[in-house]
Amino acid sequence: QVQLVESGGGLVQAGGSLRLSCAASGSSFSINAMGWYRQAPGKQRELVATITSGGGIDYAGSAKGRFTISRDNANNTVYLQMNSLKLEDTALYYCNADLTLHGTYGIHYWGQGTQVTVSS
């Protein structure tokens, strides 16, 4: 019914940039919020940034000043521009969508993840 497709991950040197994209597709849904989370090996999944359909934004402290989340509501797409990447940013990045699906509010969907690897 709903699929989140992420793209834009890859291998980048420290100090470089990547832009992640996540597009939601399907039927009978509307998006309340979308965001990015990441999980490094041996660590818990953590929030990176979220944005509501109305434009409200939250960032993790580690992302502020370096990452920018944005949205294209018409295309059900969220982006994460990552600049000044550090080694500790290496993780599998997941897109998350908070949806109203078939009239039910507050359903979460996850993308498959896209790998970001930062090298020295």
Side-chain angles (χ1 to χ4, degrees), residues 36-108:
W36 292 95
Y37 296 73
R38 68 187 183 188
Q39 188 166 23
K43 297 184 180 296
Q44 65 182 359
R45 188 173 299 185
E46 64 178 358
L47 178 145
V48 179
T50 61
I51 184 167
T52 70
S53 294
I57 294 172
D58 285 329
Y59 289 106
S62 60
K64 290 182 178 179
R66 298 189 299 125
F67 296 0
T68 302
I69 190 169
S70 61
R71 60 178 170 82
D72 180 355
N73 285 347
N75 293 294
N76 294 328
T77 301
V78 65
Y79 305 94
L80 185 68
Q81 178 67 44
M82 303 187 293
N83 299 325
S84 301
L85 283 162
K86 304 175 181 179
L87 293 177
E88 53 264 41
D89 294 319
T90 295
L92 188 63
Y93 283 70
Y94 293 94
C95 177
N96 175 267
D98 182 345
L99 308 175
T100 296
L101 180 64
H102 294 289
T104 301
Y105 180 83
I107 297 174
H108 285 260

Side-chain angles (χ1 to χ4, degrees), residues 8-11 18 20 39-41 89-93 113-118:
L11 176 64
L18 286 173
L20 307 183
Q39 188 166 23
D89 294 319
T90 295
L92 188 63
Y93 283 70
T114 185
Q115 179 67 39
V116 172
T117 302
V118 183

